[in-house]
Amino acid sequence: MFDWMAWTTPVAVFFVCIVLMLIGMTVWEVRSPTTLRKGFLPIATTRGDRLFIGLLTAAYINLAFVGLSGRITEWMKLEQEPTVWISFVLSMLVLGLVLRKG
């Protein structure tokens, strides 16, 4: 069923992190309902809104990195393409920033 997708370790870790965040946010929401808050995002958001925006941003960062890794290899004259772990760590940092300060 999932033969079309390249299930590498970074991809699996990324999806496991998403599932764990969704479970954690669900438990947190049940125990402590959220209120609207205004951070650096241009709208007032709840925790769930910030999680959704952060996950979309993280996915786009990973897609952009995968799409540009060949060009990065050419521009920086690398012997091999940079590892996908770089985009994973960067996307998780951005997600954490959006959840915390967004």
Side-chain angles (χ1 to χ4, degrees), residues 2 9 11 15-16 24-25 38 40 49 58 60 65-67 76-77 93:
F2 292 110
T9 302
V11 171
F15 281 106
V16 167
M25 289 293 284
K38 180 89 169 83
F40 69 81
D49 297 334
Y60 285 125
F65 186 84
V66 168
M76 300 181 81
K77 297 180 181 17
L93 290 172

Side-chain angles (χ1 to χ4, degrees), residues 23-100:
I23 291 169
M25 289 293 284
T26 301
V27 170
W28 191 9
E29 185 66 30
V30 168
R31 295 182 61 85
S32 171
T34 188
T35 58
L36 287 175
R37 184 181 69 140
K38 180 89 169 83
F40 69 81
L41 294 171
I43 56 174
T45 58
T46 63
R47 283 190 296 253
D49 297 334
R50 290 188 300 277
L51 177 64
F52 180 73
I53 292 167
L55 285 174
L56 280 177
T57 305
Y60 285 125
I61 288 171
N62 281 300
L63 286 173
F65 186 84
V66 168
L68 293 174
S69 61
R71 301 270 173 138
I72 292 171
T73 305
E74 291 174 16
W75 293 334
M76 300 181 81
K77 297 180 181 17
L78 301 174
E79 293 181 18
Q80 60 185 9
E81 289 187 358
T83 179
V84 193
W85 287 108
I86 295 169
S87 68
F88 175 75
V89 170
L90 180 63
S91 65
M92 289 298 114
L93 290 172
V94 170
L95 174 61
L97 177 70
V98 170
L99 284 172
R100 185 83 171 138

